[in-house]
Amino acid sequence: MKYEHVERKMPVSLKDSIVRQPWCSALRTSGESLGEILTLPIHLAELYRELSSDEKRTLRLVMSTFGCLPFTREGLEKEAMLQMAGAQVSLGLWGLRRYGVIIAFRKSWGDQLYTLPEDAFAGWQSLVFPTSWPPNDRGVEEEFNDLGDRMADIDDGVSSNPRGLAQQLFHCMVSCSRQSELSLTNKGTLHKKQLHKITEHVSLPARILTLSGLTYAFTDVYDEPAALMLEMAMRMGFLYKNEAGNRLQFHYRHFESWLQSPYEHQQAQLYRIWRQALIPAPVWLEHGIAFMERATALQWYSLSELLQAILTCCSIAHKSMDEEALRQEMMAAWIRPLSIFRFVDLSEDQEGQLWFMWLITPTLRAGESSDSPIELSLQTEPSLYVQPDFEVLLPPNASLRLEWEVAAFADLQNADLVRTYRLTKESFGRALDHGRRSADVIQVLRDHAYYEVPEGVIITLQQWEEQKDRLYLTDVTLLRCQSNEVAEALLRNEKCRNLLGERIGETNFIISRTHVKHLTKCLEAMGFHPNPSLITNLSSDEELETPSSTEPVLGLCYSKDTIQLYEIDPYLPQREDLYPDMQQIPMSWIKELRDYHISTRKDMIRKAIEWKSVLQLRKEGHDCFIIPRMLREDRTGWILEGWREYEEIAWTSEDWKEMKLILPGINDGSVREKGETLGEL
């Protein structure tokens, strides 16, 4: 979950308590939103200096064990067992909630869940786990000249499109645009024959989704490559369900807007959709994504060095995970799909070590929105070849915007790095049906061809147009009036008259499809009631209701961000609530080191276990800080079991003299003044 979603759900009282804090109120005066303050690295660095030791250690623990995955306080305490007392964890969580770093949600049955919003993760990672990755010194240039192309083990033999995911999505959307309609079955899926048509040029591994941990609807109908294409199309707004829910609509404006951008930007948009689908991810993947996104595009980086950086951050939570196990997981869930989609390039050196290089800019630039297009001027320089046999060749540098123009009058033959189209009488006739003229097609070819367009191609296109103009079929809507008087009344109405086409006989009119909706409103205003079901079917795609930009877009993949289903817990307990009935214990227990009676020692230990706090014990003249786990009694006496500096202890009452009850947040200040840190236990 991102902070923009958190801020929309956050109760006003909780938001006000955050922004009123001195560190935050100063930034708010500059006009930045709470989400920007809690995600921008420059502001997080200032907030990090405000955090207490317990808050910093709790944040580090969250980031090394859960990342952005939801967690419970009990689960976090369990992970902290050897290094922090439960009271320290609770105190740290309390402080992080107070600052807005960690957000608490309340389930319907009352249980709490906590989460670190995902868009702050990278900023906190650089502060909590300062590392030298990515390395600044790239070393000797010859080191990268040894990279080879032995990557057969990476793609599992799948011949994916060499230009990447955007190219495959383009071909899929061109096929969708040519369908008369994308009707859905009663189950809500596309028909298999139609699905086969629109995914004809899709080449992806069969398990591209499940290996990355994604699940989706209608697995019995859609294979994973088809589901990914539909998911991307829906998330980009190219396809959406009509209001009746019985067919998919192709949104020309959204698709053509996407075509205006350079190919690298088109790929980057799809990368962010793919990345978002995987979030929240396992903690090792969260760290891997954040580290990788620090890398510079078009520069090689060692995968082994990346894995070492990840293991440094996750060493507490994943002691059993070695580099080889992490490599396999990382390759299957993240690196391999990025390579198949051509978001990154992979290669091997002579020692068999893997290296990666970004082919896109994965993160947004400052002030850039994920939806803001980077305009691409229409290419007028040469970018295609026209062959005498009516083949049109598009080299790798040809944009998708130009390819969209070519696909309007030619059929795809080969979807390789060089795309091959063929002009046929049928494909050219399709262009004429959509309002293109031979002069338009010829102009496109002349504007972008490397050489002169063959004269035979030009003459043939002109002849095809002349032949089609002699006779052609077109779809129209016929308006029938019951009488001549009704027809004359429509002609007298100024608004209706402009929408009526050719009059046939005394009572009929031909209506353009683009005028159907507007004419319907005029007729209803005059008291007439035309057939509503027919009008719905004839309305153009552009006139149908499209999803609001503020509403979440529903795709096929199930969201992993389940915490958004719950409401934010507005209640922030007081620090004293960590130790209920504290006034009932003797104040000497928390004020000074003393030697107590056996029964009092037991009471202090039990209270420390109840409050999940710490004991300060003086043994042989040295102070020790113990996280107590249990008080075990038997016939021979009793034993205190717990942890001291990551080691388990089992002491009898004779093993120490003086003792003191340490309550984090209450009386641990004097300990810190002596240079001790409870979090280092």
Side-chain angles (χ1 to χ4, degrees):
M1 176 175 273
K2 295 183 177 180
Y3 266 107
E4 59 179 303
H5 305 131
V6 169
E7 197 168 353
R8 283 201 292 265
K9 293 172 71 80
M10 184 178 288
V12 176
S13 59
L14 181 57
K15 183 177 179 179
D16 288 345
S17 69
I18 296 173
V19 300
R20 282 198 303 266
Q21 297 172 40
W23 75 274
C24 187
S25 59
L27 295 173
R28 288 278 289 179
T29 58
S30 62
E32 291 180 293
S33 67
L34 181 60
E36 291 173 322
I37 292 172
L38 289 171
T39 55
L40 292 177
I42 187 173
H43 300 328
L44 295 184
E46 184 173 339
L47 174 55
Y48 192 63
R49 289 190 289 270
E50 295 277 331
L51 300 183
S52 69
S53 174
D54 286 334
E55 289 161 353
K56 288 179 179 179
R57 294 188 66 82
T58 302
L59 179 59
R60 181 184 179 88
L61 185 64
V62 169
M63 295 193 66
S64 65
T65 54
F66 296 104
C68 297
L69 291 170
F71 61 92
T72 63
R73 182 172 55 83
E74 294 76 16
L76 190 61
E77 288 178 1
K78 183 178 179 181
E79 295 291 343
M81 189 178 296
L82 297 180
Q83 49 186 319
M84 294 177 70
Q88 288 178 280
V89 173
S90 296
L91 185 65
L93 270 182
W94 175 82
L96 294 174
R97 281 189 63 195
R98 185 168 57 92
Y99 285 121
V101 176
I102 297 293
I103 309 299
F105 291 80
R106 180 73 66 178
K107 291 185 177 181
S108 56
W109 50 90
D111 291 347
Q112 273 186 323
L113 281 177
Y114 301 89
T115 191
L116 173 70
E118 64 195 60
D119 43 353
F121 185 88
W124 284 123
Q125 183 199 58
S126 63
L127 294 167
V128 177
F129 300 98
T131 68
S132 58
W133 206 97
N136 295 321
D137 181 13
R138 302 311 302 153
V140 183
E141 186 66 27
E142 284 76 10
E143 180 180 3
F144 304 100
N145 294 333
D146 292 336
L147 297 180
D149 297 319
R150 302 186 300 272
M151 304 307 295
D153 62 316
I154 289 179
D155 59 16
D156 295 331
V158 176
S159 57
S160 184
N161 190 288
R163 275 177 54 84
L165 189 60
Q167 186 69 53
Q168 298 204 56
L169 182 61
F170 171 84
H171 293 315
C172 186
M173 291 302 98
V174 169
S175 297
C176 286
S177 70
R178 292 179 181 174
Q179 307 302 310
S180 57
E181 66 172 15
L182 296 168
S183 58
L184 300 175
T185 65
N186 292 333
K187 188 177 180 180
T189 62
L190 289 170
H191 296 272
K192 288 190 175 181
K193 287 185 178 179
Q194 203 161 42
L195 185 65
H196 176 72
K197 287 182 181 179
I198 67 176
T199 58
E200 179 182 1
H201 299 289
V202 174
S203 178
L204 292 168
R207 299 186 62 206
I208 188 67
L209 296 179
T210 53
L211 286 176
S212 294
L214 295 175
T215 56
Y216 63 97
F218 309 121
T219 54
D220 57 332
V221 177
Y222 301 137
D223 62 17
E224 295 192 20
L228 177 60
M229 287 294 105
L230 293 174
E231 175 76 10
M232 288 291 173
M234 292 176 183
R235 296 290 178 184
M236 288 294 296
F238 303 158
L239 293 178
Y240 62 95
K241 279 187 180 181
N242 65 342
E243 191 173 354
N246 59 3
R247 61 187 176 124
L248 293 178
Q249 301 289 140
F250 183 78
H251 201 298
Y252 283 90
R253 286 198 302 269
H254 284 177
F255 183 65
E256 290 176 346
S257 175
W258 180 63
L259 295 177
Q260 308 310 308
S261 303
Y263 190 75
E264 190 267 350
H265 186 263
Q266 293 162 348
Q267 282 276 85
Q269 284 181 289
L270 300 185
Y271 163 76
R272 291 173 195 126
I273 292 177
W274 174 255
R275 178 194 190 281
Q276 190 61 40
L278 270 59
I279 301 296
V283 63
W284 52 267
L285 182 52
E286 289 272 9
H287 281 288
I289 292 173
F291 276 133
M292 279 187 66
E293 289 182 346
R294 294 189 200 176
T296 304
L298 302 179
Q299 188 165 305
W300 289 105
Y301 295 92
S302 165
L303 180 61
S304 180
E305 291 180 12
L306 171 66
L307 298 178
Q308 286 298 323
I310 296 172
L311 287 172
T312 300
C313 299
C314 303
S315 58
I316 299 173
H318 296 278
K319 290 184 177 180
S320 61
M321 180 177 281
D322 57 15
E323 182 176 337
E324 181 56 30
L326 179 59
R327 177 189 180 278
Q328 294 178 10
E329 294 276 2
M330 194 76 177
M331 285 296 297
W334 182 246
I335 301 289
R336 183 176 287 117
L338 295 190
S339 173
I340 291 169
F341 299 153
R342 301 302 294 153
F343 299 149
V344 302
D345 197 5
L346 292 178
S347 196
E348 281 185 342
D349 59 22
Q350 291 184 341
E351 297 177 355
Q353 295 298 311
L354 288 178
W355 295 72
F356 73 89
M357 176 176 66
W358 281 110
L359 301 176
I360 62 171
T361 302
T363 54
L364 292 171
R365 302 175 182 89
E368 181 186 350
S369 166
S370 59
D371 298 324
S372 59
I374 300 176
E375 290 296 328
L376 174 70
S377 58
L378 185 60
Q379 293 174 314
T380 54
E381 71 274 6
S383 47
L384 58 80
Y385 298 88
V386 183
Q387 306 287 77
D389 62 355
F390 292 84
E391 276 194 345
V392 180
L393 307 180
L394 295 170
N397 68 308
S399 69
L400 293 185
R401 181 178 178 181
L402 173 61
E403 190 167 356
W404 176 243
E405 293 283 337
V406 173
F409 54 77
D411 291 329
L412 181 68
Q413 302 295 303
N414 190 330
D416 209 334
L417 196 60
V418 174
R419 291 89 80 197
T420 304
Y421 284 81
R422 179 174 293 279
L423 255 167
T424 65
K425 192 171 186 179
E426 291 73 19
S427 66
F428 182 69
R430 182 179 65 239
L432 295 177
D433 289 339
H434 287 83
R436 300 287 182 100
R437 313 307 301 172
S438 63
D440 302 327
V441 174
I442 293 168
Q443 191 63 47
V444 169
L445 297 177
R446 281 175 169 167
D447 285 346
H448 299 90
Y450 278 94
Y451 307 106
E452 288 289 331
V453 178
E455 190 65 25
V457 173
I458 295 176
I459 294 173
T460 301
L461 293 180
Q462 292 170 340
Q463 290 175 345
W464 284 346
E465 182 178 26
E466 291 175 2
Q467 293 171 2
K468 188 170 180 64
D469 280 344
R470 295 174 185 173
L471 180 68
Y472 60 92
L473 297 173
T474 184
D475 290 330
V476 297
T477 301
L478 185 66
L479 175 65
R480 288 186 176 277
C481 303
Q482 288 183 344
S483 64
N484 182 44
E485 289 75 14
V486 174
E488 292 296 331
L490 299 184
L491 289 171
R492 288 193 297 270
N493 186 293
E494 184 177 350
K495 291 183 178 180
C496 281
R497 184 171 62 248
N498 296 330
L499 301 173
L500 297 174
E502 180 183 352
R503 188 171 182 176
I504 301 178
E506 294 184 349
T507 59
N508 303 321
F509 296 93
I510 291 178
I511 309 300
S512 170
R513 293 171 66 92
T514 58
H515 292 162
V516 169
K517 186 174 182 179
H518 300 295
L519 178 61
T520 300
K521 293 181 179 179
C522 291
L523 295 176
E524 289 174 346
M526 295 176 65
F528 298 108
H529 301 284
N531 187 340
S533 60
L534 179 63
I535 292 164
T536 301
N537 290 332
L538 291 176
S539 297
S540 69
D541 291 348
E542 297 296 329
E543 293 171 334
L544 290 170
E545 292 296 324
T546 59
S548 168
S549 59
T550 60
E551 296 176 358
V553 179
L554 297 178
L556 292 179
C557 290
Y558 296 120
S559 173
K560 300 177 73 174
D561 191 14
T562 56
I563 201 167
Q564 62 184 315
L565 302 174
Y566 307 117
E567 295 299 321
I568 292 179
D569 189 348
Y571 175 67
L572 190 63
Q574 298 299 313
R575 184 181 303 191
E576 293 74 17
D577 294 342
L578 295 174
Y579 313 108
D581 305 323
M582 190 176 69
Q583 66 277 9
Q584 296 182 8
I585 67 169
M587 285 298 100
S588 60
W589 288 9
I590 63 174
K591 285 188 175 181
E592 56 185 343
L593 277 164
R594 286 178 51 184
D595 191 1
Y596 292 96
H597 187 270
I598 294 295
S599 61
T600 305
R601 289 189 176 199
K602 290 182 180 181
D603 290 340
M604 292 176 70
I605 294 171
R606 292 189 182 102
K607 187 56 70 173
I609 294 173
E610 176 189 340
W611 286 342
K612 301 178 182 179
S613 60
V614 180
L615 290 170
Q616 182 179 357
L617 308 180
R618 181 160 292 170
K619 181 180 182 181
E620 299 176 352
H622 297 286
D623 286 351
C624 309
F625 296 93
I626 307 297
I627 301 175
R629 183 171 63 91
M630 66 178 295
L631 182 63
R632 178 162 54 85
E633 297 190 68
D634 55 30
R635 295 177 181 177
T636 59
W638 57 271
I639 295 176
L640 167 63
E641 294 184 358
W643 293 271
R644 176 196 178 189
E645 298 179 356
Y646 295 99
E647 293 184 2
E648 288 195 61
I649 59 105
W651 290 354
T652 66
S653 61
E654 287 79 20
D655 289 328
W656 75 88
K657 295 296 183 182
E658 295 89 357
M659 64 185 299
K660 179 181 176 181
L661 181 60
I662 301 297
L663 303 181
I666 301 294
N667 68 332
D668 54 344
S670 60
V671 177
R672 298 179 192 281
E673 290 173 4
K674 295 177 182 178
E676 302 286 351
T677 303
L678 294 179
E680 294 175 352
L681 292 175

